[in-house]
Amino acid sequence: MLKNYLVTALRILWRQKTYSAINVLGLTLGIACSLLIVIYITDELGYDKFHRDAGRIYRVGFRGIIQGREFSSALTGFPMSETLQSETPQVESAIHIEPHHTYPVRYEDKSFTENKFLFADSNFFQFFDFKLVTGNPSTVLKGPNKIVISENAAKKYFDYKGHGDVSPLGKILVLGSGGERTAEVTGIVEDTPNNSHIKFDFLLSFESWKGESFWLSSDMITYFKLKPGATIESVDEKYSYFVEKYCGVEIEKFLSMSLKQFSEQGGKVGFFSTPFLDIHLKSHETDELEPNGNLQYLYLFGAIAFFIILLACINFMNLSTARSANRAKEVGVRKTIGALKHRLLGQFLMESCLYSVIAIVLAIIFVVLAMPSFNILTGKVLTAAIISHPYFIVSIFLFTIFVGLLAGSYPAFYLTSFKPVDVLKGKVRAGMRSSGIRNFLVVFQFVISITLIISTLMVYKQLKYVQNQNLG
């Protein structure tokens, strides 16, 4: 029976080429746009998940009020990392990094100002799961003046040939605008994934760093990893102790008042923990490593994708029911010779599923072709490779069935509701004019379309205004 449905559906599709092309094109555009949005959302939700222990990693933040100025920063003082490890039993390990967004680097006649330059502790590659191509994870950053570079940087400075090429190792880079520091290349790391909030081309060992740092300063990003089974609440409770024991001493030293007096004058300092996996979408502190995303935007984009698919399905329904008079005789004749209603339903649903399958295939081709332009629009480096993942293939299959059934449900029930007697008497065409559901679908389709168009124009106008406004 399924084979008969499929053969019949293929014949109808082939005989009505213009109608089929319009229907397939509408579904294709709707599905393609939704797929692009889904790929974007998937990338945003996948930030930092490639680290095996990502669920146990947290970042320490620093917030408070000093001299009437309120602040909330992703940076902390240098002592935080070591103190967490030594005085907090629930912490397995901790690390701090110091970002430099402009740092001159030179090798022979090649000189560039780098914007992905970090100072990092020696346990960096044991704490995180960035992949070293060459070098020992436990020793590459151990000792002063040791530097690990990305494959991209290795190609840029040393004409790196790829995996197996160890020629950059041992080379000396000159760092700083005045060449005040040199560093030996001890390792090469794979370029950081695009969905990582920690991006770098250069990692310089912290033992190369010389300077004094305080609890009340904000120059380091501190991460810590909980021991299995430990709770973050036990660490958060420790922060007030750190404030009393360490910050109070510095407040007295620099502001010439006790912690109690500082609090009475409206001052306040404290630390807080941010889950590692929440940083990209939920953290909006000052001094973030990079501009973060926004979870609210993902909800908005998801809603837009849903409405686009819904519009495509409604468009399919409207086109199908608009042709109902042409299919009425077919339904009437089939019912007259004994066709059962559920068999006719199966036939029409098979047709819509066939349209859905063709539209999905064309939509995937469109997504692959549109990906470069989409990356320019979003500022990302997305690929269509996600479509080949097993979970995505299963999702596409279920989505195809869902769209086919959703788009074909109303036309199927509508067409199979015709009575042979009414068809022969010509009453079907007259009844079509009073279809309340179809009128509702048309109005709903226009309302959603107009809303999306107006919203798009508003965003476009706002962006143009920001870009052209004289800031003084």
Side-chain angles (χ1 to χ4, degrees), residues 384-393:
I386 188 176
I387 297 175
S388 63
H389 290 186
Y391 79 89
F392 209 87
I393 293 174

Side-chain angles (χ1 to χ4, degrees), residues 193-443:
N194 293 310
N195 58 349
S196 170
H197 84 273
I198 304 174
K199 295 184 175 69
F200 59 89
D201 282 324
F202 297 85
L203 281 176
L204 182 63
S205 61
F206 244 128
E207 293 181 49
S208 313
W209 185 83
K210 292 178 182 172
E212 191 176 9
S213 185
F214 304 94
W215 279 88
L216 295 179
S217 65
S218 297
D219 41 23
M220 307 290 166
I221 295 182
T222 305
Y223 300 94
F224 66 89
K225 187 181 298 184
L226 285 177
K227 290 180 179 178
T231 62
I232 188 60
E233 289 77 16
S234 59
V235 178
D236 291 339
E237 291 172 0
K238 201 78 173 180
Y239 291 146
S240 58
Y241 168 74
F242 291 165
V243 171
E244 292 177 7
K245 183 178 179 180
Y246 300 110
C247 296
V249 174
E250 293 186 5
I251 288 173
E252 192 168 347
K253 178 180 178 181
F254 297 119
L255 300 179
S256 301
M257 66 179 73
S258 66
L259 182 61
K260 183 179 179 181
Q261 291 172 324
F262 175 72
S263 299
E264 289 173 350
Q265 293 182 15
K268 182 181 179 182
V269 291
F271 302 98
F272 62 95
S273 303
T274 302
F276 189 69
L277 294 177
D278 287 351
I279 290 174
H280 179 68
L281 290 176
K282 298 180 181 179
S283 176
H284 304 287
E285 316 300 336
T286 57
D287 308 304
E288 296 280 357
L289 273 175
E290 65 173 17
N292 286 335
N294 192 315
L295 189 61
Q296 300 300 321
Y297 292 164
L298 299 192
Y299 289 137
L300 176 61
F301 295 153
I304 290 173
F306 171 76
F307 280 118
I308 289 175
I309 280 294
L310 190 60
L311 287 177
C313 292
I314 291 175
N315 187 61
F316 181 94
M317 294 178 190
N318 288 335
L319 287 172
S320 298
T321 52
R323 297 179 58 259
S324 56
N326 298 332
R327 303 294 298 271
K329 290 183 180 179
E330 174 192 340
V331 173
V333 170
R334 287 192 177 192
K335 282 190 172 183
T336 301
I337 60 178
L340 299 176
K341 184 174 181 177
H342 72 273
R343 294 287 175 83
L344 291 173
L345 281 172
Q347 175 62 55
F348 288 120
L349 289 176
M350 174 58 74
E351 288 180 27
S352 64
C353 286
L354 180 61
Y355 284 118
S356 179
V357 169
I358 296 172
I360 285 283
V361 173
L362 293 176
I364 291 174
I365 294 172
F366 179 85
V367 166
V368 173
L369 296 176
M371 193 58 71
S373 300
F374 187 66
N375 282 333
I376 294 173
L377 176 67
T378 60
K380 286 183 169 287
V381 189
L382 302 173
T383 67
I386 188 176
I387 297 175
S388 63
H389 290 186
Y391 79 89
F392 209 87
I393 293 174
V394 173
S395 300
I396 285 289
F397 173 76
L398 296 176
F399 180 72
T400 303
I401 301 300
F402 170 75
V403 170
L405 295 178
L406 177 64
S409 57
Y410 174 59
F413 283 101
Y414 180 70
L415 290 171
T416 55
S417 66
F418 294 155
K419 296 179 181 179
V421 175
D422 291 337
V423 172
L424 296 176
K425 291 183 177 181
K427 294 181 179 180
V428 171
R429 189 176 297 275
M432 286 170 54
R433 300 191 185 101
S434 59
S435 175
I437 296 179
R438 190 173 160 214
N439 291 337
F440 169 77
L441 291 176
V442 172
V443 172

Side-chain angles (χ1 to χ4, degrees), residues 107-126:
Y107 177 73
E108 295 180 346
D109 60 338
K110 297 178 180 178
S111 179
F112 302 94
T113 298
E114 300 294 343
N115 59 6
K116 294 180 181 178
F117 196 104
L118 301 178
F119 282 80
D121 283 328
S122 60
N123 62 336
F124 183 87
F125 291 104
Q126 295 161 303

